[in-house]
Amino acid sequence: MLNFRQVNLDFHTSEKIENIGQNFNKEQFQTALKKGHVNSVTLFAKCHHGWSYHPSQTNETHPNLTFDLLGAQIQAAHEIDVKTPVYISAGLDEKTARRHPEWLVRNKDESTMWAKNFTEAGYHKLCMSSQYLEVLLKQIEEVCANYDADGIFLDIAGVQPCYCQNCIAEREMLGMNPYDDKSVTEHAEMVYQRYCEKTRAAVDKYKAGLHLFHNGGHIRQGRRDLARYNTHLELESLPTGGWGYDHFPFSARYCQGLGIEYLGMTGKFHSSWGEFGGFKHPNALRYEVSLAAANGAKSSIGDQLSPNGEMDMVTYDLIGRAYSELEEKEPWLDNVSSVADIAVISPEACEGTHSTAQTTQVGASGSGVCRILLEGKYLFDIADFETELDKYKVVILPDIVRVDNDFAEKLRRFCNNGGKILATGKSAMYTDKNEFCLELGAKWLGENQYKPDYFRPFEEIAGMGDTDYVMYGSGEKICCIGVELGSRKNPYFNRTWEHFCSHQHTPCGGEYGGGGMTEGKDGIYIAWNIFDDYAETGGIHLKQMAVFALDKLLGSGKTLITSLPAQGITTLMQQENRLICHLLYVSPVKRGRDTEVIEDIIPIYNTNLKIKTDMEIRRVYLAPQNKDIEFQYKDGVVSMSVEEIECHQMIVLE
């Protein structure tokens, strides 16, 4: 079992710095962990610079370290019952990279990764098809043999297409075209599988079954085979470090369906890893830790130890404000499963096999659908083609989810058993032909020639009037063969050097361009990439269209209804014989060029909440306060009002 309150204690330290670890003090180290309410700390055996922080026969100890820092830290942590997973930099080892440039990953143009060459400041990625893998395996074995590690964390690992001479030679030996894209990807998969199997064996040689995680910055959706090389999952997702606040909910709601224990990893930094002297506002960490809890995840907060080995007490005061709250909430957080009405087939799961290395961005369609569902207060999971759909009422196929024959049959069975589909753009069409696999009231005619064009609703849609709404997303031209809920309207012309009107795009010309939103026996189809469009433009009418379609498909079957404002987040978890509803509310603001920052937390008062359940509810209370609240239970619906939400509030229904 993972602990709830972890710190990932980075220690990437240049050989140009003197007196490494000179201020390490066992009591000060323990005091910091206690102050932070930390019960697991990931400690460094080897950093990106390539140095070990313990006496080593398989590597070189940092030249300016005079004692066994790793051993001292493990002993100090275990004395106060804090677990100690051990970090080993796998893909980056700058000392080795400079001594053996022939072991480096090469792009097709012979440039290197991450730094393009050795004139840039930065690290260079090593290839696991080179002799470097055997070096790394010996380092892993040494740590497992000599230290009481509670897990191994291998960083910068993933399926990595490579054009180094080791990879070229191996592909030629296997009869592959060494420069063919498909062969390069197939070989990269083989190399990663071999790396995973050999590192697992290296750990098991001394610590059979020990926790092992390969970190690549993102859990690749639709690749359960890759996820299962890990004993657990760590969802690296620093909102201010490039991932953004949309990434974690999208990633967590996929991982919670994999049956693998997982944690969410954020950072104490204002920006990202390696920022010395940068600190988040305490309210940001409180929210990020609460968001992990609301999505069934344990937490890890990234920090970086000073080269002198002294823990920064300001950092652990900051972490402690978040983790002291989390500690009180833990009885309601473990062994939970999500309650969801909707499954979203991940657009990422449809994009094929490619590098998993250090991906931080959610694609636009995934980000857009996640954002609309969060703002609309729908209960949803992110799914892939292997997900069992029986428990859901609606399946969303966002923008680009084309299907093969097997998945088409799975969707038809789902619909025949009462489920409904919402599809947009090219979704719900076969992978090998432009034809819908379901009865959605639409027949595909071709890609729409106009961009942008316009949508005009036929039905009454909340927030929308009887007018034409601009649609910036890519569109499909269809013929309605079901019920037409709204139409496409063409502009006068596309904007070109020869034809243009006003500042931006051409106004609506009023010409009917075919169906825009249709309904058939199996569900509703919207003829634009509305989720991609929402991620890019945030047009409110796009959300109103999606909400209208979902509410129509769900009917009276929506499990949860709340008055929580759009920026709030809600989830519903089941823990044995009780339900736990999580309500969160903060409002990130943009600071600097593109950084979202959380500072002020404004309490929300008198939030109405209705939850539909088959359980006979006898008690409703706030957790962790253990304070009963009034509720009404009628016809399977529990109704209540939550007096105050300050950042995060759990409501328990027993």
Side-chain angles (χ1 to χ4, degrees):
M1 293 284 290
L2 297 176
N3 282 9
F4 269 97
R5 290 166 276 117
Q6 183 162 309
V7 160
N8 193 305
L9 189 60
D10 262 16
F11 198 54
H12 303 295
T13 308
S14 168
E15 64 278 7
K16 305 294 186 184
I17 297 178
E18 301 287 336
N19 302 317
I20 301 304
Q22 69 174 358
N23 291 351
F24 174 78
N25 175 277
K26 182 177 77 170
E27 288 73 24
Q28 196 263 351
F29 183 75
Q30 292 174 333
T31 299
L33 296 177
K34 291 175 182 177
K35 189 180 187 69
H37 292 255
V38 175
N39 58 11
S40 179
V41 56
T42 301
L43 302 169
F44 267 44
K46 178 187 136 187
C47 72
H48 288 344
H49 290 274
W51 304 110
S52 290
Y53 296 93
H54 59 91
S56 177
Q57 300 299 313
T58 65
N59 193 21
E60 295 173 41
T61 303
H62 194 291
N64 300 316
L65 176 67
T66 60
F67 68 102
D68 185 353
L69 178 60
L70 175 64
Q73 289 174 322
I74 289 176
Q75 181 183 0
H78 284 177
E79 282 182 5
I80 57 171
D81 199 27
V82 174
K83 287 185 177 180
T84 57
V86 172
Y87 175 107
I88 299 172
S89 181
L92 302 179
D93 180 332
E94 192 60 15
K95 166 176 55 65
T96 298
R98 291 175 181 269
R99 294 175 185 177
H100 292 281
E102 73 277 13
W103 294 354
L104 292 177
V105 170
R106 297 282 175 173
N107 297 312
K108 207 168 190 176
D109 64 0
E110 292 292 325
S111 62
T112 56
M113 298 178 65
W114 295 358
K116 293 178 183 177
N117 54 54
F118 286 103
T119 67
E120 288 188 3
Y123 306 113
H124 300 80
K125 192 171 186 183
L126 286 144
C127 179
M128 296 302 176
S129 73
S130 73
Q131 290 173 261
Y132 170 69
L133 177 58
E134 294 306 313
V135 172
L136 175 65
L137 294 173
K138 288 183 174 65
Q139 294 169 355
I140 294 169
E141 287 183 11
E142 182 177 57
V143 169
C144 291
N146 294 342
Y147 294 96
D148 187 15
D150 293 305
I152 298 293
F153 183 106
L154 298 177
D155 202 10
I156 321 299
V159 179
Q160 181 60 68
C162 178
Y163 296 86
C164 76
Q165 291 306 304
N166 300 289
C167 287
I168 296 293
E170 186 170 20
R171 288 198 286 272
E172 286 182 323
M173 184 187 71
L174 293 168
M176 296 176 164
N177 179 339
Y179 291 98
D180 173 69
D181 289 347
K182 184 177 179 182
S183 295
V184 171
T185 300
E186 183 182 343
H187 179 246
E189 295 274 348
M190 293 168 51
V191 171
Y192 185 63
Q193 179 180 352
R194 184 168 61 209
Y195 151 84
C196 288
E197 290 171 351
K198 287 193 172 189
T199 51
R200 181 71 259 176
V203 172
D204 287 345
K205 185 175 180 179
Y206 296 97
K207 296 279 177 68
L210 188 70
H211 276 173
L212 174 61
F213 177 67
H214 306 276
N215 185 45
H218 176 66
I219 305 303
R220 176 83 174 128
Q221 297 181 2
R223 294 301 308 274
R224 297 183 179 215
D225 57 328
L226 298 182
R228 286 171 182 145
Y229 287 129
N230 304 288
T231 55
H232 67 285
L233 302 175
E234 304 199 21
L235 282 55
E236 188 176 1
S237 188
L238 282 64
T240 56
W243 285 259
Y245 276 101
D246 283 342
H247 178 270
F248 181 76
F250 186 76
S251 188
R253 291 178 192 225
Y254 175 72
C255 291
Q256 65 191 7
L258 299 181
I260 305 173
E261 194 174 13
Y262 60 103
L263 59 80
M265 182 189 292
T266 184
K268 69 92 178 181
F269 318 102
H270 168 68
S271 60
S272 194
W273 300 106
E275 182 190 45
F276 295 99
F279 301 89
K280 276 194 174 102
H281 192 281
N283 283 338
L285 269 189
R286 288 179 61 212
Y287 174 72
E288 289 158 20
V289 165
S290 297
L291 184 63
N295 283 280
K298 277 72 182 279
S299 280
S300 176
I301 297 173
D303 179 27
Q304 178 145 350
L305 183 65
S306 166
N308 67 22
E310 183 176 347
M311 300 281 269
D312 182 76
M313 287 302 181
V314 172
T315 293
Y316 287 85
D317 178 65
L318 172 63
I319 291 172
R321 297 196 206 184
Y323 274 173
S324 61
E325 292 182 13
L326 182 62
E327 188 172 10
E328 294 181 353
K329 297 171 184 176
E330 287 175 16
W332 294 273
L333 302 178
D334 220 352
N335 299 311
V336 296
S337 58
S338 70
V339 178
D341 296 328
I342 297 169
V344 180
I345 305 301
S346 169
E348 185 183 317
C350 311
E351 293 171 359
T353 303
H354 59 73
S355 170
T356 61
Q358 294 299 299
T359 301
T360 61
Q361 297 298 313
V362 176
S365 294
S367 178
V369 70
C370 185
R371 176 51 46 198
I372 285 175
L373 293 174
L374 290 173
E375 291 173 3
K377 306 301 172 286
Y378 294 96
L379 301 177
F380 68 98
D381 293 336
I382 304 296
D384 60 21
F385 296 122
E386 296 182 50
T387 303
E388 293 301 324
L389 303 176
D390 299 350
K391 80 171 192 174
Y392 303 105
K393 298 162 187 171
V394 171
V395 170
I396 299 178
L397 309 176
D399 296 349
I400 59 172
V401 183
R402 301 186 74 138
V403 300
D404 61 16
N405 290 328
D406 289 342
F407 193 65
E409 181 57 35
K410 189 174 187 175
L411 290 174
R412 283 191 285 269
R413 287 197 303 271
F414 171 74
C415 292
N416 290 339
N417 289 329
K420 294 293 183 182
I421 303 294
L422 172 60
T424 63
K426 281 190 167 64
S427 290
M429 289 198 283
Y430 289 102
T431 53
D432 57 355
K433 55 185 174 182
N434 291 319
E435 181 181 307
F436 290 108
C437 69
L438 299 165
E439 295 183 36
L440 300 173
K443 179 181 178 181
W444 191 81
L445 301 177
E447 293 183 354
N448 183 44
Q449 69 185 92
Y450 294 109
K451 187 176 180 180
D453 55 3
Y454 296 84
F455 171 74
R456 193 175 191 100
F458 288 173
E459 298 261 333
E460 187 174 328
I461 298 179
M464 298 180 72
D466 184 22
T467 190
D468 303 306
Y469 292 87
V470 66
M471 304 295 287
Y472 293 107
S474 298
E476 310 301 321
K477 192 169 180 61
I478 60 167
C479 170
C480 178
I481 57 174
V483 177
E484 191 164 355
L485 304 175
S487 69
R488 176 193 308 284
K489 291 294 184 71
N490 295 331
Y492 289 98
F493 42 74
N494 280 330
R495 186 178 179 90
T496 68
W497 68 269
E498 187 178 13
H499 299 86
F500 68 91
C501 179
S502 193
H503 297 292
Q504 290 194 59
H505 52 260
T506 311
C508 182
E511 178 186 27
Y512 177 71
M517 184 190 294
T518 63
E519 184 176 19
K521 176 179 74 70
D522 296 328
I524 290 175
Y525 173 72
I526 299 174
W528 291 272
N529 291 355
I530 66 165
F531 299 116
D532 182 305
D533 194 354
Y534 192 68
E536 296 296 330
T537 69
I540 192 68
H541 62 282
L542 302 168
K543 177 167 67 173
Q544 291 161 341
M545 291 167 66
V547 166
F548 164 78
L550 287 170
D551 287 350
K552 189 173 181 67
L553 295 172
L554 284 168
S556 60
K558 194 173 181 183
T559 297
L560 184 147
I561 298 173
T562 178
S563 62
L564 190 67
Q567 194 62 39
I569 289 177
T570 184
T571 65
L572 187 63
M573 297 288 176
Q574 184 161 350
Q575 186 190 54
E576 296 180 347
N577 64 340
R578 63 188 180 191
L579 297 172
I580 299 105
C581 180
H582 296 263
L583 299 173
L584 299 97
Y585 185 84
V586 301
S587 188
V589 296
K590 193 157 283 190
R591 299 270 174 84
R593 282 199 190 94
D594 54 6
T595 302
E596 284 187 305
V597 170
I598 292 171
E599 182 174 351
D600 299 321
I601 290 183
I602 309 300
I604 299 295
Y605 297 100
N606 301 320
T607 300
N608 296 324
L609 181 64
K610 291 185 178 181
I611 297 174
K612 181 178 287 191
T613 177
D614 294 332
M615 296 182 182
E616 185 177 348
I617 302 302
R618 300 181 179 275
R619 183 189 178 206
V620 177
Y621 64 95
L622 304 179
Q625 301 96 317
N626 201 28
K627 178 183 177 182
D628 285 9
I629 60 173
E630 294 183 3
F631 69 98
Q632 295 79 45
Y633 180 64
K634 182 178 180 182
D635 298 329
V637 177
V638 183
S639 303
M640 70 211 78
S641 179
V642 182
E643 185 176 336
E644 181 180 356
I645 301 165
E646 197 272 338
C647 185
H648 175 220
Q649 181 62 62
M650 296 186 293
I651 298 91
V652 184
L653 288 72
E654 289 195 344

